[in-house]
Every structure is written in C-alpha cells, then in structure tokens.
Amino acid sequence: MLFLVGTRDSNIKNGVILNEKCPKCNTQDTLHFSIYKKYTHVTLIPLFPVGKSVYIRCSHCEENFDYEDLSESAQLQLRNEKLDNSIWMFSGSIIIALFLIFTINRYFENKDEAGVLVKNPMQGDVYNLKLNNGYYSNMRIDKITGDSVHATLNDFQAYMPNEIDDLNKPENYSNRKVYYSRKDLIKLYQENEILKITQKKANGFSN
C-alpha cells in the first residue's frame, strides 16, 4: 500500500472586517477575509494542523492585502474571530493512537497468557518465536515425554511479528525437529523469544 504524506489547506471561516477602511481605496466595510488552516495528512487522512493563514481582499478595488497591511484594530478583529472546532484535523493521529493502545494491550495480553501456557505445554500447541537472526517463525509441539518437549520448526520465516500466524499451516512443518526441557521453554519465554502460544484443545484452538 502506498502512503502519500503532504499538507493541505482547509477554509474554516470567511467574513468581513467591520468598521474598517480599505488601505488603498479608503472604502469602509469592504475588506473580506478568508481564514485557512494547514494540516498534515497521510493518504488524505488528516494527522494534525501545522499553521494558519489569512487572505484579505477588498471587494471595491479588488486589491489583496497581507495581515500586516491592516490597521491594529483590524488585526485585533481577526485575532478575536471565533473559529470552528477543527478536531477532525487530528483524526489520523487519534486513529494511530488508538491502534497503538490496542496493539500494546494485545501484546501484554498475549504475554500474560503465554506465561501461563508455557508452563503446561500440550501436544498441538503452536509457539510464535523470535529467532536469533531477527526473523520470526513458529514451532509445533509434537509430544511431551516426561521433562522433554519434542517439536517441529516451521520451514518458513516472517519479517514482522504480525505475519507469524500466516505461516502456521500444516504443510509448512516438515522434518526440522527440536526438543527442549520444560525449563528451556520457560527460559525462552523469559528472554522474549516466545511471543505467543496458540494452544490446541479438544474442541478447537484457544489463543
């Protein structure tokens, strides 16, 4: 997916500066203003506002003016203009913040659950692993004999932890056999090498 980052302007208010004369033609109540807010966006989703600009034009002589061209009283009027709430300009940031909160909560939920399940391995359990080479993969528990836990490693690896579950297919496990003691598994969990455990039950799977 292509993400396009940029800025856009949004017109938030228009009006007339009352009781003020045009600096050029000296006609009163002809200075029309437009206030714009600039915001940063990602693929047209607003993230946050980054500035404000004001455009002034005389409807009589059609001259354009900068904010600094106006009298102090006219500038004060513009500064005191009540602007509509622009919270929608933060919508992208709000979405990102909520996603991060959800991801962090989900991570700790998985960690807490894995901490319980790793102490009671069962045949059919699938462990999501962080490998020494920086990639991610799975292993499937084949059998438990006493203190030994026998497993088969997945033949494939993922670049990101959120891609690990997609690797968990029966045809992806061949003959890469490993075995651990129960203490070894707990140590892997404590060293953050076991990220998640999907435990098989008689009636299905439980994450």
Side-chain angles (χ1 to χ4, degrees):
M1 181 178 180
L2 181 61
F3 292 96
L4 300 177
V5 180
T7 58
R8 293 172 66 90
D9 291 320
S10 177
N11 181 212
I12 57 174
K13 190 163 190 178
N14 302 294
V16 177
I17 304 175
L18 299 176
N19 304 316
E20 292 291 333
K21 295 181 179 180
C22 171
K24 182 178 180 181
C25 68
N26 211 34
T27 306
Q28 186 163 307
D29 294 341
T30 57
L31 293 176
H32 293 254
F33 68 85
S34 296
I35 300 176
Y36 289 79
K37 272 193 177 180
K38 185 184 293 291
Y39 61 91
T40 301
H41 67 85
V42 175
T43 316
L44 302 183
I45 300 175
L47 290 178
F48 48 82
V50 292
K52 182 175 67 174
S53 55
V54 182
Y55 297 91
I56 304 103
R57 182 180 179 85
C58 176
S59 60
H60 183 259
C61 66
E62 299 187 347
E63 185 73 15
N64 295 316
F65 300 97
D66 294 327
Y67 175 80
E68 293 77 12
D69 296 328
L70 304 179
S71 66
E72 290 187 7
S73 59
Q75 292 181 13
L76 181 61
Q77 277 195 55
L78 289 176
R79 288 198 299 270
N80 290 337
E81 283 291 334
K82 293 184 179 180
L83 304 179
D84 293 336
N85 195 329
S86 302
I87 193 171
W88 64 269
M89 292 186 180
F90 294 90
S91 55
S93 298
I94 293 171
I95 292 171
I96 292 172
L98 292 175
F99 175 76
L100 289 175
I101 292 171
F102 171 81
T103 301
I104 292 170
N105 285 339
R106 185 60 180 159
Y107 169 78
F108 284 108
E109 286 174 3
N110 286 336
K111 287 293 290 180
D112 292 342
E113 194 168 19
V116 174
L117 298 179
V118 75
K119 296 176 182 177
N120 184 34
M122 297 177 60
Q123 182 177 342
D125 288 358
V126 174
Y127 286 47
N128 286 8
L129 306 174
K130 181 179 181 181
L131 306 178
N132 291 332
N133 61 6
Y135 291 89
Y136 301 86
S137 192
N138 322 92
M139 73 175 180
R140 183 189 61 208
I141 305 301
D142 297 328
K143 64 178 180 178
I144 296 99
T145 56
D147 187 55
S148 297
V149 179
H150 300 260
T152 302
L153 294 175
N154 197 306
D155 295 330
F156 298 91
Q157 298 177 359
Y159 290 100
M160 301 295 292
N162 62 316
E163 299 172 343
I164 311 175
D165 288 336
D166 295 335
L167 302 179
N168 185 26
K169 301 175 182 178
E171 62 269 22
N172 289 348
Y173 298 90
S174 56
N175 296 312
R176 301 175 61 207
K177 304 294 183 179
V178 293
Y179 72 91
Y180 299 92
S181 68
R182 293 173 183 266
K183 289 183 179 179
D184 289 336
L185 288 180
I186 293 173
K187 184 178 179 181
L188 288 176
Y189 167 75
Q190 292 172 341
E191 294 176 350
N192 293 318
E193 294 183 34
I194 294 177
L195 306 178
K196 175 184 172 184
I197 298 175
T198 302
Q199 189 167 69
K200 186 177 183 179
K201 294 184 177 180
N203 60 347
F205 286 86
S206 175
N207 286 339

